[in-house]
């Protein structure tokens, strides 16, 4: 999981290092990326017309390694992207996104929360990003906004309708500050690597002991210096406004609440392997923060809803027939389709060709016409897209 408030910065040429040292070896199953970006109206209009630069850069970086965009949600300045290894796509189901505005009393989306939820191999997981109110004095407002976001974000279908009915990852520019100490004490503690002194006065750490809404939320140790506020282009804390450094950018998690309507045999175990900042990036007054997790489930749903049978090599047009079998629980739609994707595709609409898999046809096969077939001699993959589930439910 990566969180970064980039403000109005233009993306750098290369963000590969954000995804860890070994992104090319495919050991990571999913990447969840949050960016807080420029929320000005003229900038948003450009992004609507031309897709935003940050989404494009993330897709350009991750798709060559076999990662596909599963979900994205944009609320003005808050952008959430969920990527997965393509082989997992049939087992990420019920993908839904939500957004809640809290800026200007709920009318403006520069502050608020965006989320993406799904069942992951049969287990409900929710990624919730929040951009909470700034400034030291607004602690109470931050807590109120977080509670409001949790109450307003409800999902359809299934037992896990509320955020807390899921395994939750909560992250973003949460804007919690360091109380009591003046700027000189805070900077001295950073320079002498006495960070535990600052943990004790961190507003989020203190609130976890008193605020019932934070019950069950956990966070790794903050072994990196505060990630805000820096002079842009430098590693120097704010010299202009002389803002006190703070750990505004955080990544927390919460296992499912007891008494949740979801059966308890779905309980997950969680391990955090890393929690760090990326100090080398200087385009923003915030430094990016990332965390690496593994989730351990007691069982997994790993039978695809649709299985595709196809010749391994297509040499002539008559080879381009795809047969498929459908699970008894799967409801077909006349708007389902089978698509040819080039290996390294970016998202489910990034196909070379597709053909409708009409539900009224009793035969469970489709054939691509000769003019639809890609001409390049390279590796392709076939995917069955479910209209009702808004996701790929079968892969060759």
């Amino acid at each position: 999981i990566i969180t970064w408030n980039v403000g109005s910065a233009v993306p750098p040429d290369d963000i590969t290092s954000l995804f860890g040292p070994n992104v090319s070896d495919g050991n990571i199953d999913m990447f969840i990326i949050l960016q807080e970006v420029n929320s000005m109206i003229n900038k948003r209009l450009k992004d609507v017309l031309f897709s935003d630069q940050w989404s494009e850069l993330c897709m350009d970086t991750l798709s060559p390694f076999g990662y596909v965009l599963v979900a994205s949600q944009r609320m003005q300045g808050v952008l959430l992207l969920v990527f997965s290894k393509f082989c997992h796509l049939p087992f990420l189901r019920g993908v839904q996104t939500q957004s809640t505005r809290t800026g200007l009393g709920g009318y403006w989306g520069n502050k608020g929360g965006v989320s993406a939820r799904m069942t992951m191999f049969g287990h409900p997981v929710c990624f919730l990003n929040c951009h909470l109110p700034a400034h030291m004095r607004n602690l109470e407002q931050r807590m109120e906004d977080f509670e409001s976001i949790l109450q307003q974000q409800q999902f359809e279908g299934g037992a896990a309708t509320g955020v807390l009915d899921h395994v939750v990852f909560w992250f973003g520019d949460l804007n919690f500050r360091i109380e009591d100490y003046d700027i000189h004490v805070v900077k001295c503690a950073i320079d002498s690597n006495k960070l535990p002194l600052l943990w004790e006065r961190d507003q989020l750490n203190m609130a976890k002991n008193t605020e019932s809404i934070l019950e069950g939320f956990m966070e790794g140790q903050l072994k990196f210096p505060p990630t805000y506020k820096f002079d842009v282009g430098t590693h120097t804390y704010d010299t202009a406004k002389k803002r006190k450094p703070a750990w505004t950018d955080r990544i927390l998690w919460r296992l499912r609440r007891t008494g949740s309507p979801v059966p308890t045999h779905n309980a997950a175990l969680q391990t955090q392997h890393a929690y760090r900042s990326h100090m080398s990036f200087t385009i923003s007054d915030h430094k990016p923060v990332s965390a690496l997790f593994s989730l351990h489930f007691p069982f997994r749903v790993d039978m695809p809803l649709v299985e595709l049978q196809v010749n391994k090599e297509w040499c002539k047009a008559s080879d381009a027939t795809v047969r498929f079998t459908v699970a008894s629980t799967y409801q077909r739609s006349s708007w389902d389709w089978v698509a040819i994707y080039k290996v390294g595709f970016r998202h489910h609409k990034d196909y070379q060709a597709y053909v409708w898999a009409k539900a009224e046809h009793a035969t469970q096969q489709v054939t691509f016409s000769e003019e639809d077939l890609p001409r390049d001699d390279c590796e392709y993959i076939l995917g069955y897209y479910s209209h009702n589930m808004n996701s790929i439910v079968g892969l060759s």
Side-chain angles (χ1 to χ4, degrees):
I1 297 180
I2 297 154
T3 176
W4 192 9
N5 186 337
V6 297
S8 55
V10 175
D13 293 336
D14 188 3
I15 57 168
T16 314
S17 65
L18 281 180
F19 302 111
N22 307 312
V23 62
S24 59
D25 65 15
N27 284 341
I28 305 295
D29 296 291
M30 298 181 73
F31 288 102
I32 292 80
I33 302 147
L34 155 79
Q35 255 116 14
E36 267 108 13
V37 295
N38 192 332
S39 61
M40 301 307 287
I41 286 173
N42 62 346
K43 176 75 174 73
R44 283 165 45 228
L45 283 173
K46 281 184 201 160
D47 286 348
V48 166
L49 294 172
F50 303 111
S51 176
D52 74 276
Q53 299 167 294
W54 284 98
S55 297
E56 291 293 322
L57 178 60
C58 290
M59 285 189 283
D60 288 346
T61 304
L62 290 171
S63 64
F65 303 125
Y67 295 95
V68 177
L69 184 66
V70 176
S72 67
Q73 179 73 348
R74 172 107 189 236
M75 181 185 69
Q76 278 176 229
V78 184
L79 174 67
L80 178 65
L81 305 170
V82 177
F83 288 86
S84 167
K85 280 169 84 166
F86 72 84
C87 57
H88 298 325
L89 292 178
F91 312 109
L92 306 179
R93 300 177 188 167
V95 177
Q96 295 176 54
T97 58
Q98 282 277 356
S99 56
T100 305
R101 299 163 187 261
T102 59
L104 292 184
Y107 289 102
W108 192 243
N110 64 324
K111 296 286 190 292
V114 298
S115 62
R117 66 82 57 196
M118 64 197 70
T119 59
M120 205 180 279
F121 291 93
H123 303 274
V125 179
C126 181
F127 302 103
L128 171 64
N129 155 247
C130 295
H131 191 182
L132 299 179
H135 306 305
M136 178 76 72
R137 63 184 180 274
N138 285 330
L139 172 61
E140 204 170 305
Q141 188 64 54
R142 284 190 272 282
M143 298 315 309
E144 283 177 18
D145 281 12
F146 180 51
E147 192 159 3
S148 169
I149 289 162
L150 289 181
Q151 285 171 353
Q152 290 184 51
Q153 300 216 348
Q154 298 291 319
F155 304 101
E156 292 171 11
T161 53
V163 170
L164 299 184
D165 298 328
H166 299 71
V167 171
V168 183
F169 293 93
W170 175 40
F171 51 97
D173 180 358
L174 306 183
N175 255 322
F176 292 100
R177 306 300 167 111
I178 295 167
E179 286 194 351
D180 300 336
Y181 300 135
D182 65 24
I183 188 168
H184 176 71
V185 173
V186 172
K187 283 187 171 178
C188 280
I190 294 167
D191 292 341
S192 57
N193 202 24
K194 291 190 172 144
L195 299 180
L197 186 71
L198 305 180
W199 298 344
E200 296 165 13
R201 307 312 301 161
D202 172 78
Q203 288 181 328
L204 179 54
N205 283 339
M206 293 193 292
K208 279 196 293 190
N209 297 323
T210 57
E211 300 282 346
S212 58
I213 196 74
L214 295 179
E215 192 182 327
F217 278 98
M218 294 179 276
E219 183 182 23
Q221 275 201 335
L222 296 161
K223 293 183 176 176
F224 50 89
T227 52
Y228 175 82
K229 175 182 176 93
F230 288 88
D231 291 341
V232 174
T234 75
H235 303 301
T236 307
Y237 286 108
D238 183 24
T239 54
K241 293 185 179 175
K242 295 198 164 35
R243 291 260 169 85
K244 196 173 8 170
W247 284 290
T248 54
D249 311 281
R250 311 287 276 269
I251 302 172
L252 294 88
W253 72 92
R254 186 186 196 280
L255 299 181
R256 226 175 6 257
R257 62 181 169 195
T258 51
S260 149
V262 182
T264 50
H265 66 262
N266 281 9
L269 294 169
Q270 190 143 349
T271 308
Q272 186 179 54
H273 302 281
Y275 191 25
R276 57 164 296 201
S277 63
H278 298 258
M279 297 296 284
S280 60
F281 291 93
T282 61
I283 60 167
S284 160
D285 57 0
H286 290 253
K287 301 295 183 186
V289 171
S290 69
L292 175 62
F293 296 94
S294 59
L295 275 173
H296 309 265
F297 294 118
F299 69 92
R300 51 190 264 164
V301 175
D302 55 5
M303 287 296 291
L305 294 171
V306 177
E307 291 195 68
L308 304 175
Q309 296 92 35
V310 64
N311 290 347
K312 288 284 183 208
E313 202 163 276
W314 291 3
C315 306
K316 52 190 186 300
S318 57
D319 290 334
T321 294
V322 183
R323 290 166 294 285
F324 53 90
T325 52
V326 176
S328 57
T329 53
Y330 176 64
Q331 238 184 334
R332 289 176 65 189
S333 157
S334 294
W335 299 101
D336 289 359
W337 34 268
V338 177
I340 302 172
Y341 296 99
K342 194 177 272 193
V343 170
F345 68 104
R346 295 151 65 92
H347 49 79
H348 73 260
K349 289 185 178 170
D350 186 22
Y351 46 69
Q352 306 292 305
Y354 72 93
V355 59
W356 297 108
K358 292 192 179 295
E360 58 266 25
H361 291 180
T363 54
Q364 299 204 31
Q365 70 173 48
V366 295
T367 303
F368 287 88
S369 62
E370 191 165 357
E371 60 267 26
D372 278 345
L373 295 177
R375 295 285 175 260
D376 299 342
D377 181 12
C378 62
E379 288 191 311
Y380 296 90
I381 190 165
L382 288 143
Y384 187 106
Y385 178 79
S386 164
H387 174 75
N388 292 333
M389 298 181 77
N390 191 28
S391 61
I392 291 173
V393 295
L395 285 173
S396 66

